[in-house]
Amino acid sequence: MDFDVVVLGAGIVGVSAAVHLQARGRRVALIDRRSPGEETSFGNAGLIERSSVVPYGFPRDLGTLFRYARNRSTDLYWDYKALPGYAAWLARFWWESAPRRLDGAARDMLPLISRSVAEHDALIARAGLAELVHARGWMEAFRTPRAFAHAAEDARKAAAEHGLRADVLDGAALRAREPAIGADICGAIHWVDPKSVLDPSALVKGYAALFECDGGRILIGEAATLRASDRTWTVRTEHGAIDAKEVVVALGPWSDLVFEPLGYRIPLRAKRGYHMHYRPARPILSMPVVDSERGYVLAPMRGNRLRLTTGVEIAKRNAPPTSIQLDRVEPLARETFGIGERVDREPWLGMRPCTPDMRPVIGPAMRHRGLWFAFGHNHHGLTLGPVTGRLLAEMMTGEAPFTDPAPYRPDRFR
C-alpha cells in the first residue's frame, strides 16, 4: 500500500488527475468516502461547456441586485442564516466581477476552456464512452425581445473573437429545431461547439474504470485523516493506512476540510443546487437548454428523462435541503418545455465549489512539500476536469505545462 501519489477526491477532477498522472508513470491511489462520480459530479447538467468563455460573475446592475435582495427570484435563493459566513466572500466576488477584472478572469480561463472538449474527447476515446456524449451543443433561451437582442449581439462578438459557432434563432426557427419549446420563448442562441453528457456520473465512473484497468487503485477512505510525516503523506482507508510522497487535494467543495487544518486560508465556498428528473410530456429536447431569464437548465438524460438543474442556493453546507427553487421553477418549466411527472422520489442536492475570483486553484501548496491542490472550478467542474488533470500532471512530473499555470496558483489569495 505504498504509492507515488494519493489523489483525494473521486469526482471528475480527481479521477482525471489520477488518469493523467498514471499515464505519466506514477503509481496512483484514488481515495474517496464514496464511489467515483457520486457527489458533485453526479448531479450537474452534463455540459462540456466550450462556449463559456466569460465566467459567471456577480450581477452589478441595480435591478438584478434589488430582485436578489427580495429573495424571490428563481435563479438565486439565500438563507439568511448563511449570510454572515458568506458576507466577505460575496463582497470579494462582487469586486472581482467588475468589468475589467471579469475580462481578466475570462482571459485567464480561456486556455482551459478552449481545450475542454479536446481533453474530454481523448479520455472518451480511451475509455470507450462515446455513447454517453452528444455533439449537438446547447441553447440559451430568452423570454423577452430585449434580453434576446442583447444576448444575440454578445454571442456574435464572442463567436467572432474566439472562433466559436453560434446560431441566432428567432421563435419560429427555434421551434422548428426544438418542437417542445413553448411560445413564451421568443428566441435562442444555439452554441454549437459544446458537447453534452447523457449521464455525468457514468462518464466519471467510466474514466475511473479506465484508471483501474490500467492498474490504478480506488479505495474508500477518509481524506480528513491525511497526515504528513517526514517526506511522506499518510491517509487511512478501509484497507489500512497508505503512504505516498505526494498528495492531490481534489475534494471539490470539501477541500477545505483538508487544507484548513494545514494552515491554508483559501476563500472556497459552496454554491448549492438541486436537480430533479421528469418524463417528457412533449417531444424530448435534443440538447440542454437554459431558461436564461429564469436561471435553470433542462437537459436530456439517459432513459428518456429530462434533468432540471436549479440556479444557486446560498446556504450552509450542512443545512437541510429545501424545495424552494424547484417549487419556483417547476411550473415555468412545465408550461415552457412540457415536463411531465417527476421520476425521482426526492430532489438531489449538490455543491458547486467556488472561488470569488472565478478561477480554480491548481498547483503546489506553499508550505508543504508534495502537497498539490486541484479544486474550485465554480460552475465548470465537469467541463474542466480532464484539462485540469492534464495541467496538474504536467506540473507534478516536470513536463512543460501546456499553458501558464500562474493564474490558478494557490498562493494568489495571501
Side-chain angles (χ1 to χ4, degrees), residues 84-103:
Y86 276 80
W89 188 94
L90 288 170
R92 175 75 180 269
F93 184 26
W94 179 85
W95 186 81
E96 295 281 2
S97 299
R100 180 176 59 82
R101 286 182 284 274
L102 186 62
D103 287 346

Side-chain angles (χ1 to χ4, degrees), residues 320-343:
T322 70
S323 64
I324 293 171
Q325 285 187 300
L326 275 174
D327 290 344
R328 289 176 178 176
V329 301
E330 195 174 88
L332 295 170
R334 181 163 289 115
E335 179 180 357
T336 302
F337 298 100
I339 62 172
E341 72 275 10
R342 287 185 173 190
V343 175

Side-chain angles (χ1 to χ4, degrees), residues 99-180:
R100 180 176 59 82
R101 286 182 284 274
L102 186 62
D103 287 346
R107 286 193 301 271
D108 288 343
M109 292 303 298
L110 186 60
L112 303 183
I113 292 290
S114 63
R115 287 209 55 84
S116 59
V117 170
E119 295 299 334
H120 266 286
D121 283 348
L123 293 187
I124 288 165
R126 286 183 59 197
L129 299 171
E131 76 282 355
L132 290 177
V133 183
H134 283 169
R136 298 171 184 164
W138 70 287
M139 287 189 182
E140 288 182 277
F142 296 87
R143 294 173 176 269
T144 62
R146 180 178 179 181
F148 177 46
H150 182 75
E153 181 62 25
D154 286 347
R156 293 186 184 100
K157 292 178 181 177
E161 183 177 352
H162 299 293
L164 299 169
R165 293 172 292 167
D167 295 335
V168 178
L169 307 173
D170 63 18
L174 171 63
R175 275 172 278 282
R177 194 170 297 187
E178 293 288 347

